[in-house]
Amino acid sequence: MQNIELPLVLFTVLSQAVVGMALLLAVRSCGCAGGACATTPTTAGTGGDAPGNRTEWLTATIVMGVALLASLFHLGHPEGAVRTLAHLEKAWLSREILAFGAFAALLAVAAVTGKAGAGLSAA
């Protein structure tokens, strides 16, 4: 493997790990809505209101940030990274970058609020 491919490998592995983390955190926090899991060892005495608390969401957000930062080192001209979204109608890579950026923004919202899937518990 060439050295230039290592950032792409890091991005792929870390971003997919974060997708799995976010999926499991969302399922776990939806399953514990309404206080059903309020006495689990992960939240007992910590002040967290659900297992998917801010610390876990913040960890996923930080790992995603590291993955996105690693992807910049794969670019031939990192200073042109600003123009990566210029061809959304033609380039799948631009769409992928937009999707991962939106996912990172959603992770940041979950990290700030400490909750995910709260709207599903009202149904």
Side-chain angles (χ1 to χ4, degrees):
M1 175 172 30
Q2 296 177 358
N3 288 341
I4 197 162
E5 295 171 353
L6 186 60
L8 186 61
V9 170
L10 282 174
F11 169 73
T12 303
V13 170
L14 291 177
S15 63
Q16 295 309 306
V18 170
V19 169
M21 285 172 50
L23 185 63
L24 289 175
L25 283 170
V27 167
R28 192 172 71 172
S29 65
C30 286
C32 293
C37 298
T39 58
T40 59
T42 58
T43 59
T46 62
D49 52 357
N53 62 12
R54 285 189 177 143
T55 305
E56 294 165 340
W57 285 106
L58 185 61
T59 302
T61 305
I62 290 170
V63 173
M64 188 63 172
V66 170
L68 289 172
L69 184 67
S71 71
L72 289 177
F73 290 102
H74 181 68
L75 297 175
H77 298 283
E79 66 277 359
V82 179
R83 296 188 310 258
T84 55
L85 296 177
H87 303 288
L88 282 174
E89 66 278 351
K90 296 182 262 181
W92 280 101
L93 185 60
S94 295
R95 296 173 192 160
E96 180 183 358
I97 292 167
L98 179 66
F100 275 105
F103 181 67
L106 288 174
L107 281 175
V109 168
V112 168
T113 62
K115 298 178 183 176
L120 296 175
S121 63

